[in-house]
Amino acid sequence: MPPCLMGQQHHTVISMGKVKRLAIMVTPQGGGDFKDEAWEAVSTIRAILRQQDEPMAVTMQTVFVRDREDVATAELLFEACYGEKMPLTLFVVQPPCDGRGLAIEAWAVSTSTAKVEYHNEHLVTVSYDDMRWIYASGGSLHREGRTAYDQSLEAFESMKRALAEGGASFEDVVRVWLYQGCITEEVDGVERYRELNRARTDFFANIAFDHRPIPVGHNGHAIYPASTGIGTRCHGLITACMALQTERKDVALLPLENPLQTSAFEYPKEYSAKSPKFARAMAVRMGDHVTTWISGTASIVNAETVHIGDIEKQTEQTLTNIERLIDAQNFARLGWADAGATLDDLAKIHVYVKHAEDYEKCRAVCERRLGRIPAIYAQADVCRPDLLVEIEGVAFSHLRKPAHFPGGDL
Ligand code: 3EB
């Protein structure tokens, strides 16, 4: 028997009623060229799926690649492996911090209880328990030579078109990912990220996020989807979003703002003439389950970057920001007295590290505070030049008896 080579993998199994979901992170270990590494990563995902006690399918994957030139190779391999059942795939040119050619984050769902529809390369829908999740992408690696504003607007418009093909609208969106090439580069005197913010503001002006069919709590503040905004080593703007539709009466949404941070949409003008329109997190309650999609979070207190030049302290502050964002007191403050999560509830994280040489220090802090949860570390520019790290994640928790905090009852 030839040795069976398995990449290093971590996965979390999330059981929600009859449906089982998997969060998988894979990094190849065997070496070789890019094709070998990609084969190893895909085979590892297949092996994890086969180990489950019911049939599973990958619905969405984010592929972090070191070299943009390798994307075509990975695409061919995925076509051979997945065929008609191609997950919604995002290629993000961000070198994995461990020096490998790629790392893959994949989400899978049990197909005996969930119906997965692979509509086209920009649209996958997943239905179970009277809930419908719509994964849509827009933008491309290859689209260059237009203004940063036009590129951003077009990316939002193409997500909107993909959502429409899936019977959804932008109002249904709960989570957005924006991977912007050369995010801090100035074009005609204006930073790309600022132009992205201007386009997003204009696009969102026509979206009634507060008029979605699912009830959404807000405690008086503006409602936007959760988001990640981060740099990549290519020119395009890679975008994806996740929308939710249901008529269930026990489903509701709560965008979370951070008590330690100024809401991004209220940042003062010096950061961006049009503020970044996103929520710090979006919580979705379904029966007794709460899933909290945590936006890209950084070492920002109020509106200012803190611990300039210190990766360890920035990582600590970022994790503290996440901890405070998802704790029971913050949920209660915003209107859900029976919800709350801790860092132990994180199913997976993405850690974007600005300088490759900071990786070990950053990872040490994350592992000390989070244990060995599924994580991908990739090298990327964060949208402010003084930010050294940004972390996003997803937490799964259960409702409990309403908590009462002094002064926190609403
Ligand atoms: C921050 O807190 C860090 O523009 O969509 C994090 C997550 C950040 C999302 C976005 C930006 C965005 O401002 C940067």
Side-chain angles (χ1 to χ4, degrees):
M1 286 271 282
C4 174
L5 188 60
M6 286 272 287
Q8 187 191 326
Q9 60 89 12
H10 295 278
H11 67 275
T12 305
V13 179
I14 305 119
S15 291
M16 300 188 39
K18 283 169 280 173
V19 178
K20 182 164 148 182
R21 288 155 82 184
L22 289 184
I24 307 170
M25 302 284 199
V26 175
T27 318
Q29 298 297 301
D33 62 11
F34 180 83
K35 206 185 281 168
D36 295 324
E37 292 190 318
W39 256 118
E40 188 190 323
V42 173
S43 316
T44 303
I45 291 172
R46 289 168 81 98
I48 295 167
L49 297 189
R50 246 181 275 123
Q51 279 164 16
Q52 309 306 313
D53 49 16
E54 50 190 316
M56 307 282 299
V58 178
T59 54
M60 181 179 183
Q61 59 176 349
T62 307
V63 185
F64 297 88
V65 294
R66 183 181 52 213
D67 301 313
R68 181 185 164 167
E69 295 69 43
D70 288 331
V71 169
T73 306
E75 276 173 334
L76 283 174
L77 185 66
F78 292 142
E79 272 160 34
C81 290
Y82 290 106
E84 298 291 293
K85 298 179 175 176
M86 180 69 79
L88 189 90
T89 303
L90 286 195
F91 285 101
V92 177
V93 185
Q94 289 180 344
C97 288
D98 59 5
R100 307 290 170 174
L102 85 164
I104 302 180
E105 180 214 2
W107 285 95
V109 67
S110 51
T111 50
S112 51
T113 39
K115 180 178 172 199
V116 184
E117 291 169 277
Y118 300 92
H119 301 264
N120 57 53
E121 66 171 312
H122 296 296
L123 177 67
V124 173
T125 54
V126 182
S127 315
Y128 55 81
D129 282 350
D130 299 319
M131 315 249 299
R132 193 155 173 273
W133 298 89
I134 302 97
Y135 300 104
S137 66
S140 123
L141 275 179
H142 313 288
R143 211 179 282 151
E144 293 180 26
R146 42 199 330 124
T147 68
Y149 178 88
D150 288 349
Q151 193 183 60
S152 305
L153 203 55
E154 203 175 297
F156 281 104
E157 294 291 355
S158 66
M159 280 191 278
K160 184 176 164 177
R161 278 194 302 275
L163 288 163
E165 284 177 63
S169 67
F170 218 95
E171 275 85 0
D172 300 317
V173 169
V174 297
R175 182 71 170 94
V176 175
W177 287 268
L178 304 168
Y179 292 99
Q180 170 71 69
C182 310
I183 192 162
T184 54
E185 181 187 78
E186 287 201 0
V187 188
D188 299 329
V190 192
E191 192 190 52
R192 264 179 211 282
Y193 179 61
R194 291 173 184 244
E195 288 294 84
L196 186 159
N197 280 322
R198 189 160 69 86
R200 174 168 51 187
T201 298
D202 290 347
F203 181 80
F204 281 4
N206 300 311
I207 311 289
F209 287 116
D210 52 340
H211 278 98
R212 59 175 93 219
I214 302 178
V216 50
H218 54 81
N219 194 27
H221 59 68
I223 299 169
Y224 295 108
S227 174
T228 291
I230 194 83
T232 66
R233 288 201 184 169
C234 62
H235 284 284
L237 170 60
I238 307 297
T239 56
C241 64
M242 201 181 75
L244 174 63
Q245 294 180 322
T246 186
E247 289 178 1
R248 268 171 61 169
K249 295 289 169 255
D250 61 345
V251 174
L253 303 174
L254 184 69
L256 298 176
E257 292 305 315
N258 198 319
L260 301 179
Q261 298 186 300
T262 306
S263 293
F265 48 82
E266 287 171 354
Y267 280 164
K269 292 219 177 340
E270 67 243 43
Y271 296 104
S272 195
K274 298 286 177 168
S275 63
K277 305 291 188 294
F278 69 94
R280 296 296 181 187
M282 181 65 85
V284 183
R285 65 194 284 163
M286 299 156 269
D288 285 344
H289 299 273
V290 181
T291 303
T292 307
W293 300 88
I294 300 159
S295 291
T297 305
S299 181
I300 295 174
V301 173
N302 301 321
E304 289 85 50
T305 303
V306 295
H307 311 304
I308 288 173
D310 187 330
I311 183 65
E312 280 155 330
K313 286 189 177 153
Q314 285 207 8
T315 308
E316 293 278 8
Q317 183 67 54
T318 301
L319 294 174
T320 299
N321 286 351
I322 292 176
E323 196 168 35
R324 292 289 300 278
L325 176 67
I326 64 176
D327 73 14
Q329 187 153 2
N330 196 41
F331 269 98
R333 179 179 77 99
L334 298 169
W336 287 8
D338 52 356
T342 67
L343 294 180
D344 289 338
D345 297 317
L346 290 170
K348 56 121 208 181
I349 53 168
H350 285 178
V351 183
Y352 305 100
V353 183
K354 179 165 177 157
H355 301 298
E357 62 270 25
D358 287 343
Y359 162 53
E360 297 293 347
K361 284 182 185 164
C362 173
R363 197 180 71 169
V365 174
C366 290
E367 289 185 355
R368 177 167 53 70
R369 288 186 63 178
L370 307 175
R372 302 212 94 220
I373 60 171
I376 280 180
Y377 295 80
Q379 192 271 312
D381 281 343
V382 188
C383 58
R384 285 187 195 181
D386 50 14
L387 289 173
L388 302 175
V389 60
E390 179 173 312
I391 302 178
E392 64 165 270
V394 185
F396 292 90
S397 57
H398 288 93
L399 294 180
R400 36 160 191 67
K401 268 179 51 194
H404 293 281
F405 297 98
D409 285 358
L410 293 167

